[in-house]
Amino acid sequence: MKMHARGAAAALLLVIGLGGCGKEVLVGGQKHVETSATGDGTPEGNASRAPAFALAPADGPNAATAIAGRAQGTIGFDARVFLVTSGGDVIPLADATGTTVRIDGGDTVHIASSGVPVDRYTAVRVTFTRVQANVTSGLVIGGTSVTGLLSVSILPGDSIVVERAVDLGAPEADARLLVDLDASAWLGAANPMTRLVAAATFRDAVKVRTY
């Protein structure tokens, strides 16, 4: 009888323990955040339509229709995305290495789906280590048509840090995050001789928002 009582007590403790663990997982939880990027998703560019996650190439028979009056081509970039909590903690979210988007904002490219600790996130930080546009048409600087490669001025080993106030909603609510390069705001500021865009010009143009 004593052995039976001890066994029952142990089983009861095990059930309570498992119940406690289940509750801890539920409370700890994760917030799911999808991260995407577009070359120009602002009202003055192409943002009147919602992101569609189109992955069409910038040229070729399967290309998406070019947006009239916009510079055409692609932007390649390397970056890392972080979330900042209301308490100032910085949580790494995703690496965007070798990402390519259309200059005219005709596509929205998925970067990553990440889980982060449940918390109130009030800002997003994006650290760019490479930004290079390959312009095929439509860009005029100082009355001259410019095509080919244009780069944002980033020294080797250096980076451009863009931080924007963004409320990602309730601590436990999933969110979708869009990094908008807003190419129309900085491509035309390139020096046609050096083919460089000032880091500050690019940094001030980039927008980050939820959608």
Side-chain angles (χ1 to χ4, degrees):
M1 289 293 293
K2 290 182 179 179
M3 289 296 292
H4 180 73
R6 281 200 297 268
L12 179 60
L13 288 173
L14 178 59
V15 170
I16 293 173
L18 289 175
C21 288
K23 183 177 181 181
E24 182 178 346
V25 171
L26 179 63
V27 172
Q30 280 198 325
K31 180 186 182 78
H32 183 77
V33 181
E34 289 190 12
T35 313
S36 304
T38 186
D40 199 340
T42 52
E44 63 271 24
N46 185 47
S48 48
R49 67 182 174 78
F53 295 102
L55 298 177
D59 50 30
N62 298 319
T65 303
I67 298 171
R70 309 294 294 150
Q72 303 299 315
T74 58
I75 303 171
F77 67 92
D78 298 331
R80 194 172 189 193
V81 183
F82 302 85
L83 301 184
V84 183
T85 71
S86 57
D89 294 329
V90 179
I91 308 298
L93 180 61
D95 290 334
T97 303
T99 302
T100 301
V101 294
R102 284 178 51 176
I103 288 174
D104 65 6
D107 62 358
T108 299
V109 177
H110 184 257
I111 296 174
S113 296
S114 304
V116 296
V118 169
D119 207 332
R120 173 69 71 177
Y121 294 94
T122 56
V124 178
R125 181 181 302 169
V126 187
T127 303
F128 292 90
T129 54
R130 178 185 69 91
V131 183
Q132 186 175 61
N134 183 14
V135 181
T136 56
S137 65
L139 177 62
V140 178
I141 301 176
T144 302
S145 178
V146 177
T147 59
L149 297 179
L150 298 170
S151 300
V152 174
S153 184
I154 305 175
L155 296 175
D158 203 354
S159 63
I160 296 174
V161 179
V162 174
E163 185 165 328
R164 302 288 184 255
V166 181
D167 188 345
L168 269 67
E172 70 283 356
D174 295 342
R176 295 194 300 170
L177 185 66
L178 182 68
V179 178
D180 174 11
L181 302 184
D182 198 7
S184 59
W186 54 268
L187 263 183
N191 183 319
M193 298 298 293
T194 63
R195 293 186 166 266
L196 292 176
V197 176
T201 301
F202 172 80
R203 182 192 63 228
D204 294 345
V206 174
K207 298 174 175 60
V208 184
R209 61 180 174 87
T210 56
Y211 66 96

